[in-house]
Amino acid sequence: ISILGANASIWVYDIERQTMDRLTTEWDNTGPVWMRSGSHVTFSSNRTGIPGLWRIAADGSGRPEMLTAGGTPGSWSVDDQWFTFTSSSPATASDIWILSADEESAAQPLLQTAFQEEFPVFSPDGRWLAYTSDATGQSQVYVQRFPIAGRKWQISADGGEAPLWSPDGRELYYQKGNRLMAVSVTTETDFAPGKERELLQPEFSDLLGWDIAPDGKRFVIVGRVAGELKAATPSVSGEAATVPEIRVVVDWFEELRRGPR
């Protein structure tokens, strides 16, 4: 997670132990993305005085390593061999770029048009890339085969952004305003999307970020409620998270002596 303050910093939160370990201490560091192996965390930082993409060991050992200048983190492929990110230019707005794990390879544009392409995320099998584009005049979610070539499929209807794959690759989730949407997909032979459906609508005035648990059963969502930052963990089925409740009865013995009313 990225925690904002005098300097934005990256932390790792242990869900079971409920402990926090700080990974970065210098300059501003945002947009953390896990490598699929879990060994490193990739993030955006201005620690050299200019924005760049970096990675650091998830256990905090060693120094951060710069991957490339500029850019906003996207996602790693299933084998950690490819990393997608977005980068902007005056001529082509926001484009999708790709970087090989090979240290001798430079970053290359993957999808570069006159439109705004953002939020690139690999499918769990690494064969497909979901992203958003405003080619229609409105931000929509699309899928193309990786490497990008040929046909693209529009997933959302009437707007969508911030796509997220289910861990089994059978569904695509995305935001539409303050609603979370879902589309079932099949990828055995060719790509075939189903019809979108509303999954849930969290009680947030502004959705800021989200992810899905590795077992595919629950989301974690961060947003604003009445101006304050809040987090929720609704289930993928749309049910709200179960929160333990403890009730304290004061003067219980006195009530017992009075008996039922």
Side-chain angles (χ1 to χ4, degrees), residues 18-245:
Q18 298 184 11
T19 58
M20 298 274 287
D21 292 316
R22 186 170 183 169
L23 289 186
T24 65
T25 58
E26 301 172 326
W27 298 88
D28 288 316
N29 310 273
T30 58
V33 173
W34 287 97
M35 292 187 74
R36 294 299 180 98
S37 64
S39 64
H40 289 74
V41 175
T42 308
F43 57 96
S44 178
S45 178
N46 63 352
R47 61 185 52 235
T48 62
I50 59 173
L53 296 179
W54 296 69
R55 69 177 173 184
I56 188 173
D59 62 4
S61 62
R63 297 283 299 172
E65 169 195 6
M66 188 175 184
L67 298 177
T68 187
T72 300
S75 73
W76 284 92
S77 61
V78 64
D79 56 4
D80 282 337
Q81 291 302 301
W82 298 100
F83 180 64
T84 61
F85 63 97
T86 57
S87 185
S88 300
S89 72
T92 58
S94 178
D95 305 308
I96 295 175
W97 287 62
I98 192 159
L99 180 68
S100 170
D102 182 357
E103 295 182 358
E104 298 181 358
S105 300
Q108 300 289 333
L110 184 66
L111 188 58
Q112 194 171 43
T113 73
F115 305 107
Q116 191 95 354
E117 289 91 23
E118 297 179 292
F119 302 109
V121 57
F122 281 107
S123 63
D125 63 7
R127 297 169 52 212
W128 310 92
L129 190 74
Y131 62 96
T132 66
S133 171
D134 63 355
T136 64
Q138 182 181 31
S139 180
Q140 302 281 7
V141 176
Y142 295 89
V143 167
Q144 287 198 20
R145 189 183 296 274
F146 177 79
I148 295 293
R151 181 183 175 185
K152 65 179 180 181
W153 289 263
Q154 182 176 325
I155 304 302
S156 59
D158 194 28
E161 61 181 3
L164 182 67
W165 294 88
S166 65
D168 60 10
R170 296 179 180 177
E171 284 195 302
L172 259 174
Y173 309 114
Y174 52 92
Q175 295 177 208
K176 180 183 288 190
N178 279 354
R179 295 178 294 160
L180 300 182
M181 313 299 290
V183 169
S184 298
V185 299
T186 56
T187 61
E188 284 76 9
T189 54
D190 204 353
F191 189 83
K195 185 178 180 180
E196 76 168 8
R197 68 184 189 281
E198 183 174 326
L199 192 65
L200 58 107
Q201 186 169 3
E203 296 298 324
F204 290 144
S205 57
D206 185 21
L207 294 181
L208 300 178
W210 66 324
D211 206 346
I212 191 169
D215 61 7
K217 295 182 179 180
R218 192 165 294 281
F219 297 111
V220 57
I221 305 171
V222 177
R224 287 191 178 91
V225 178
E228 295 184 1
L229 288 177
K230 300 287 186 180
T233 56
S235 69
V236 171
S237 63
E239 298 175 358
T242 301
V243 180
E245 182 180 3

